[in-house]
Amino acid sequence: MQMIKELLLQQQRLYPGLELQDCLKLLYQNELGGGHLIQDEAAFCERLQQERQQVDFSTTPREPEDIGNGLYRIHLAGVGNTLVAQTLTRICAISARKHVGSLQNLQKKLAMLQTLIQQGKLPYSAPQALEEIAQYIQAGCPQTHHSARFVALYQPHYRLVTKKFALVLPVFAAIDKELQGKSHVLVAIDGMAAAGKSSLAKQLAQVYGSGTVEVDDFFLQHWQRTPQRLAEAGGNIDYERLAPVVQQAAAGQGVCYQGYNCATGQTNVQRTLPAGRVTVVEGSYSMHPRLNAPYDVKVFLQVDATTQAGRILQRNGQAMAQRFTNEWIPMENQYFAEFKVREGCDVVIDTSNS
């Protein structure tokens, strides 16, 4: 409960006008999320569009706000304004389905709220506040609104999303911006090993229904692995075979290709991507200049060395982790440096704390 204690005290510092009712809402959201608001995505989207008309966008944009337990408040007067309503609606709906909480845990968090009040660390009259909390619990801990004072002081216009989405919202914003003037957007996700490239591609697929060309399907075949090729910056992929696939994807067409199977040493993995508004090319080397790819949005994901090593060890095991350290990561770093990949991207995100 230490994190709940810190959250409540932090919120009191951020919002001195915070009332007990707002604390109840905060803890409800922290534990149970916002799924109760998204029974109908179309209706949710319409409410979102209407609420945007009430937001004062001349104020300083508000950054996503961590409310603990893997959830963020996305303020409409911030990144939330750069997303089209349909995109933010999908992100909220997916977040609501993924987040699971319980009334039992909520009651434990309410007990921490009671303790802080009894200790005088929150500015509420103990007898009255404790009685209100007891009544709230007896009523079954229903969802509540912000207090009138909080609304007047802070104009809270926000939506709840999971941390995993909150950290990559700039990617969605960049895609939405491109979609305003184009019928199809080609996205590249490049970056460091274990930085979350595949996970981001899956998130984009969930929201946009995008197809993904996986660079892993284009590892060098055995006969291509000459010393000269492996010494080449970015030479670790079969860019000769990948290039026409990327060009076909850029045209907004459906894509079919044979992926390379490392286990059999053959290109016998059938991949079929339907045509759609968004196509993603995901993986290290996806921005190799030999692909000559007309990407609309270029994303680079990075991660600190300690976190990277831990993720690779957990994901791939000790033997493969050693190969990453000795072979593949140095090759990636050579490619990043040679072609200034990070510097040429539209969006750069550090996923170390994701």
Side-chain angles (χ1 to χ4, degrees):
M1 288 294 112
Q2 181 63 27
M3 294 181 67
I4 293 301
K5 175 182 176 180
E6 293 173 359
L7 173 64
L8 287 166
L9 295 177
Q10 178 195 51
Q11 287 282 304
Q12 187 63 51
R13 291 191 296 270
L14 288 173
Y15 304 106
L18 194 76
E19 295 194 349
L20 179 62
Q21 181 176 332
D22 305 300
C23 293
L24 297 178
K25 183 176 182 69
L26 173 68
L27 294 183
Y28 181 99
Q29 290 179 336
N30 167 279
E31 179 58 32
L32 298 176
H36 62 287
L37 297 172
I38 318 180
Q39 304 304 317
D40 182 331
E41 284 192 34
F44 181 92
C45 186
E46 183 176 353
R47 291 194 302 271
L48 174 60
Q49 291 172 314
Q50 293 172 350
E51 186 173 347
R52 276 182 166 167
Q53 298 175 9
Q54 306 170 27
V55 178
D56 182 4
F57 294 111
S58 66
T59 59
T60 302
R62 301 171 70 177
E63 295 298 314
E65 182 179 348
D66 186 355
I67 63 166
N69 202 22
L71 290 170
Y72 276 65
R73 288 174 174 174
I74 303 302
H75 296 279
L76 301 187
V79 177
N81 181 47
T82 65
L83 303 171
V84 300
Q86 291 79 4
T87 297
L88 184 53
T89 295
R90 287 291 300 143
I91 290 173
C92 291
I94 295 165
S95 295
R97 289 198 298 269
K98 286 185 175 297
H99 184 81
V100 178
S102 71
L103 282 176
Q104 182 179 12
N105 285 340
L106 175 55
Q107 289 175 1
K108 292 178 181 178
K109 294 172 182 181
L110 290 168
M112 173 54 69
L113 173 61
Q114 292 171 311
T115 298
L116 291 175
I117 293 171
Q118 290 171 323
Q119 294 174 344
K121 294 182 179 179
L122 292 174
Y124 309 124
S125 170
Q128 179 180 350
L130 296 178
E131 176 61 25
E132 287 185 29
I133 295 172
Q135 292 176 0
Y136 178 73
I137 294 173
Q138 187 174 10
C141 302
Q143 164 64 9
T144 185
H145 298 291
H146 279 296
S147 67
R149 183 185 182 196
F150 191 93
V151 171
L153 288 173
Y154 308 114
Q155 301 180 29
H157 299 288
Y158 61 79
R159 293 296 185 271
L160 295 181
V161 306
T162 59
K163 180 179 181 179
K164 189 173 182 179
F165 272 110
L167 295 180
V168 296
L169 287 180
V171 178
F172 290 90
I175 293 172
D176 278 1
K177 182 179 179 180
E178 292 295 318
L179 283 172
Q180 290 178 15
K182 299 177 181 178
S183 60
H184 176 263
V185 171
L186 184 64
V187 181
I189 304 175
D190 208 322
M192 300 169 64
K197 298 183 293 297
S198 297
S199 295
L200 175 56
K202 291 175 182 176
Q203 290 175 278
L204 297 179
Q206 288 177 310
V207 174
Y208 298 111
S210 53
T212 303
V213 176
E214 300 177 16
V215 178
D216 282 0
D217 282 334
F218 297 87
F219 279 147
L220 291 181
Q221 299 175 61
H222 291 298
W223 61 269
Q224 295 172 301
R225 297 176 190 175
T226 64
Q228 294 82 0
R229 182 59 176 258
L230 294 176
E232 177 187 329
N236 198 32
I237 59 159
D238 190 347
Y239 47 69
E240 294 92 345
R241 199 164 59 86
L242 175 57
V245 174
V246 173
Q247 295 299 323
Q248 186 179 1
Q253 305 170 358
V255 176
C256 294
Y257 66 87
Q258 297 291 322
Y260 178 63
N261 187 328
C262 294
T264 65
Q266 298 177 330
T267 53
N268 60 357
V269 182
Q270 180 67 36
R271 304 292 192 197
T272 303
L273 280 64
R277 293 190 307 151
V278 178
T279 304
V280 177
V281 181
E282 175 271 316
S284 295
Y285 310 108
S286 60
M287 296 184 204
H288 197 297
R290 290 289 291 270
L291 300 178
N292 194 29
Y295 292 122
D296 300 294
V297 177
K298 294 185 287 186
V299 181
F300 189 92
L301 301 186
Q302 61 190 28
V303 61
D304 68 69
T306 301
T307 303
Q308 181 188 49
R311 289 177 182 174
I312 291 173
L313 181 61
Q314 182 178 24
R315 183 186 69 185
N316 301 99
Q318 184 63 53
M320 290 295 287
Q322 198 65 39
R323 290 200 68 184
F324 270 94
T325 300
N326 296 336
E327 299 177 45
W328 296 321
I329 291 177
M331 294 177 75
E332 288 182 356
N333 290 338
Q334 179 191 15
Y335 154 74
F336 298 146
E338 177 80 15
F339 299 119
K340 296 185 174 8
V341 177
R342 182 187 290 101
E343 294 82 350
C345 286
D346 305 295
V347 183
V348 177
I349 295 176
D350 191 312
T351 67
S352 302
N353 296 319
S354 64

